[in-house]
Amino acid sequence: MQAAQGRLADMRVVLVCALLSLLSLSHACPKECSCNGNTKVVDCRGRGLYDIPKRLHPETQELYLQDNRIRGLGSMAFREIPLVRILDLSNNSITTVSPTALLGLRALQRLSLAYNSLRELDKRLLGPIRTLSHLDLSHNSLWGLPGALGESLRNLSHLGLSHNKLTRLDRSLLEVLTHLDSLTLRSNNWRCDCQLIGLKLWLETFIYKGGVVDEVICTQPEEMKNTDLQKVPYQLFHICMTSSYHYLFANIHHLENERLLRGHTHGNHAHPSSHAIHVPMAMGEGFGGGGGGGGSGLPECEPKQRHRPVNLRHAIATVIITGVVCGIVFLMMLAAAVYGCAYAAIMAKYQRELKKNEELAAAKGADHAKADEKELLENAIA
């Protein structure tokens, strides 16, 4: 009986060992890759892969997939390796990335998607990641970056955006990157108009604080082509604010008329766009180029050949300050006038009383003289 129980226990041990071995085999190194168990690095470079390898070890911390033929990243593509810190997907053929492709990678620090064919990134892509310090998106076909992406990049120290098709970059996105040390922006389709003045101002502050940036070379408008944005004089941007305010007022008037017209024809079913006021900053027109909006009934943002204030806010502040000063001067003059009138009234009253006292004194003197004369006459008669 005891021998039978012993054999049963041995069989259980063997079964447990077999299950453990099968479990370890299920997370063994993929046959397409080479793995280092000590450093927890998985190297799958240049293996002709079309997809992310399966059965990756859950403790993988570095995964290198560059120089392959991967074309897209599906939802939770890396759910097997939640502890990965370095993920390199450069030099593939990636055109699409699911918004949830990186879901679960809360420890990710370095991500490279360089040398692919990305046209856009979803604002949710890096949503759950707060540890990212290095992001390389260079050598793609990106037209822009969503502003909401900045919330996931607060700890970023390097951002690579060179060799894309960017025409502008929101300053609000850059201002979130308080830990950024280096930024690459060369070889993009930068349009140096009013919409890029925010980037110019941010770059000057960034460089002043010790940040490193390569260059922003203008490709449009034609008269500024091949000019570094940092060397563009601010005088060329002075027209932006003034022309934009004129355009804003014209746009508001146009949209209000359009809304009223639609209200008469369609009742209350107005198109949502009639309530949205778009304020373009088309300095390209102000530089003497481009029409745009022909037939829209809106005036173009062209510079007028007359003197305009350098800064509308400064002009408004000057008017306000001048009004305050003039008000103070007026109050002072009014106080002086009141004081003068009061002083004149008091002096007049004083003069009247003085004259009255003199007349009384003179009358009293005459009475005394008459009394003395009468007294002398009476004494003589006596």
Side-chain angles (χ1 to χ4, degrees):
M1 186 67 178
Q2 292 180 350
Q5 290 180 350
R7 284 195 299 270
L8 183 59
D10 293 339
M11 290 177 63
R12 289 176 179 175
V13 171
V14 172
L15 182 59
V16 170
C17 292
L19 290 174
L20 290 175
S21 63
L22 287 174
L23 184 61
S24 63
L25 287 174
S26 65
H27 291 297
C29 183
K31 61 181 181 179
E32 307 94 343
C33 311
S34 61
C35 305
N36 188 322
N38 295 326
T39 59
K40 300 177 183 178
V41 174
V42 179
D43 189 350
C44 307
R45 290 178 289 185
R47 306 299 174 93
L49 300 177
Y50 287 92
D51 203 352
I52 308 300
K54 304 298 183 182
R55 297 182 179 179
L56 291 167
H57 197 282
E59 295 185 0
T60 299
Q61 294 192 4
E62 299 180 19
L63 177 59
Y64 298 96
L65 289 166
Q66 59 265 47
D67 304 322
N68 282 291
R69 301 175 184 177
I70 301 172
R71 295 186 177 181
L73 300 177
S75 178
M76 298 186 69
F78 305 96
R79 57 182 174 273
E80 294 182 347
I81 50 174
L83 301 179
V84 68
R85 294 183 296 105
I86 300 177
L87 181 58
D88 194 333
L89 291 157
S90 59
N91 199 22
N92 278 276
S93 303
I94 300 174
T95 57
T96 59
V97 179
S98 170
T100 57
L102 305 177
L103 191 64
L105 305 185
R106 299 185 179 275
L108 189 62
Q109 297 177 5
R110 299 174 66 91
L111 173 63
S112 177
L113 289 167
Y115 291 93
N116 281 286
S117 302
L118 295 172
R119 292 181 176 272
E120 60 181 356
L121 290 180
D122 193 279
K123 62 182 180 180
R124 298 168 291 174
L125 178 63
L126 302 174
I129 303 173
R130 294 291 185 270
T131 56
L132 199 63
S133 62
H134 184 104
L135 178 61
D136 191 354
L137 299 172
S138 59
H139 293 273
N140 278 280
S141 300
L142 295 172
W143 291 91
L145 292 179
L149 198 65
E151 294 299 323
S152 304
L153 305 178
R154 290 186 177 274
N155 295 317
L156 206 65
S157 60
H158 172 79
L159 177 60
L161 294 172
S162 61
H163 298 276
N164 278 283
K165 296 182 179 180
L166 300 173
T167 58
R168 60 188 296 264
L169 197 59
D170 288 339
R171 183 179 180 181
S172 59
L173 170 65
L174 296 171
E175 287 180 341
V176 178
L177 312 180
T178 55
H179 294 88
L180 195 66
D181 296 326
S182 60
L183 176 65
T184 60
L185 297 171
R186 70 169 69 239
S187 299
N188 278 282
N189 300 331
W190 300 113
R191 179 178 178 84
C192 297
D193 57 12
C194 289
Q195 294 183 347
L196 215 62
I197 189 172
L199 176 60
K200 177 178 174 65
L201 294 170
W202 183 87
L203 284 175
E204 291 186 354
T205 304
F206 178 66
I207 294 173
Y208 175 77
K209 292 181 177 179
V212 178
V213 63
D214 46 8
E215 58 186 5
V216 178
I217 303 299
C218 303
T219 60
Q220 301 177 58
E222 188 64 28
E223 57 268 29
M224 298 178 64
K225 191 173 182 178
N226 297 325
T227 304
D228 193 335
L229 177 64
Q230 299 180 52
K231 297 180 181 179
V232 176
Y234 275 104
Q235 285 76 7
L236 295 179
F237 291 103
H238 287 164
I239 192 63
C240 297
M241 182 173 293
T242 307
S243 61
S244 296
Y245 272 101
H246 285 290
Y247 195 89
L248 171 62
F249 297 141
N251 203 3
I252 293 174
H253 181 69
H254 171 77
L255 292 174
E256 181 64 19
N257 291 338
E258 187 181 48
R259 186 183 66 82
L260 293 175
L261 180 62
R262 290 180 178 178
H264 288 298
T265 56
H266 299 289
N268 294 329
H269 299 286
H271 195 276
S273 63
S274 65
H275 299 285
I277 299 175
H278 176 62
V279 187
M281 302 285 284
M283 196 182 75
E285 299 174 1
F287 287 155
S296 64
L298 298 180
E300 296 181 355
C301 299
E302 296 181 352
K304 305 298 181 181
Q305 299 301 322
R306 62 183 182 183
H307 177 72
R308 294 175 182 269
V310 172
N311 190 311
L312 188 58
R313 287 179 295 180
H314 290 177
I316 294 174
T318 302
V319 171
I320 294 174
I321 293 173
T322 303
V324 171
V325 172
C326 291
I328 294 174
V329 172
F330 173 77
L331 292 176
M332 293 176 64
M333 294 177 63
L334 182 62
V338 172
Y339 175 78
C341 292
Y343 179 78
I346 293 172
M347 290 302 297
K349 183 178 181 182
Y350 173 76
Q351 291 295 334
R352 286 196 300 271
E353 291 180 353
L354 182 62
K355 185 176 181 180
K356 185 177 180 180
N357 292 334
E358 290 179 350
E359 290 176 354
L360 291 174
K364 289 180 179 180
D367 292 340
H368 284 299
K370 289 181 179 179
D372 291 340
E373 184 178 355
K374 184 178 179 181
E375 185 178 355
L376 290 173
L377 182 59
E378 291 176 350
N379 292 333
I381 295 174

